[in-house]
Amino acid sequence: MDAEHSADRPLPHPMAETRRNVFETVFECPKPVVAALNGVTVGGGCELALACDVRIAADHVRIGLPEAKRGLGATFGSQMLPRIVPRGIAYELLYLGELISAQEAYRWGLVNRVVPGDRLADEAREFCRRIVANAPLTVRRYKAVVRAGAELPLPAALRLAVGPDPYQSEDRTEGVRAFLEKRDPVWRAR
């Protein structure tokens, strides 16, 4: 092991700086972010996947945060995991540091879909195509209101005014017109 990667050298504390790290940047992206997981997704790779809105996993994926086995912290993962899966499951995954299968991850809601490995890229692209086919202002608003309202009481969350307003948009008019005319809408994101 070289001096730069010495086990004896202390690591800087993650998230201690004021600038955003890559996980936060992905999490805060105003557009949908879809992760296609293929292979072993651990540590920082798992945290990056947790930052995404949707996770599609190949059936052979193993995923987890093994930091407890290495004396590390998984700062981002320890905050995101209990926001995605039940708290008891989050504790189990964090405390044990063991990897789980794609099927287990699906069962707990950690991944949205499990697909055969040879179909992963096609499935992820098709999923993204289906998102892109929808009204962009509405999709962006969904992301904004879900994030902003997740920890609020329902009455406060229902009254949030975040993200684009699709109700007064040209896209709303186009969407209704296209439906009535039985054609695909042409979105303009305005």
Side-chain angles (χ1 to χ4, degrees), residues 110 172 179:
L110 183 55
R172 183 201 55 83
F179 175 76

Side-chain angles (χ1 to χ4, degrees), residues 123-174:
E123 293 282 341
R125 276 192 291 276
E126 177 58 24
F127 186 88
C128 291
R129 275 194 285 279
R130 290 171 57 199
I131 292 172
V132 171
N134 290 322
L137 295 180
T138 300
V139 171
R140 283 197 307 232
R141 181 173 185 276
Y142 282 154
K143 183 162 181 173
V145 298
V146 167
R147 291 277 159 78
E151 303 299 320
L152 295 176
L154 183 59
L158 290 173
R159 286 153 184 80
L160 284 173
V162 297
D165 180 4
Y167 299 105
Q168 307 302 317
S169 72
E170 291 177 30
D171 279 353
R172 183 201 55 83
T173 303
E174 168 62 10

Side-chain angles (χ1 to χ4, degrees), residues 33-37 49-59 61 63 83-85 100-115 120 123-124 127 130-131 147:
V33 181
V34 177
L37 311 179
L50 293 173
C52 297
D53 303 318
V54 174
R55 288 159 295 284
I56 301 172
D59 55 4
V61 161
I63 187 169
R83 295 168 195 254
I84 297 172
V85 301
I100 61 173
S101 69
Q103 293 75 18
E104 275 183 285
Y106 176 76
R107 186 170 61 242
W108 292 115
L110 183 55
V111 299
N112 300 74
R113 297 167 183 228
V114 176
V115 300
L120 178 64
E123 293 282 341
F127 186 88
R130 290 171 57 199
I131 292 172
R147 291 277 159 78

Side-chain angles (χ1 to χ4, degrees), residues 88-100:
I89 299 302
Y91 280 136
E92 180 179 336
L93 293 172
L94 291 165
Y95 291 166
L96 296 178
E98 295 172 353
L99 306 186
I100 61 173

Side-chain angles (χ1 to χ4, degrees), residues 12-28:
H13 189 281
M15 315 293 172
E17 298 179 13
T18 57
R19 63 187 165 138
R20 313 309 274 168
N21 70 26
V22 68
F23 306 137
E24 290 172 290
T25 302
V26 169
F27 178 76
E28 293 168 355

Side-chain angles (χ1 to χ4, degrees), residues 56-71:
I56 301 172
D59 55 4
H60 59 268
V61 161
R62 306 267 304 144
I63 187 169
L65 294 164
E67 283 80 351
K69 295 180 176 293
R70 307 289 178 263

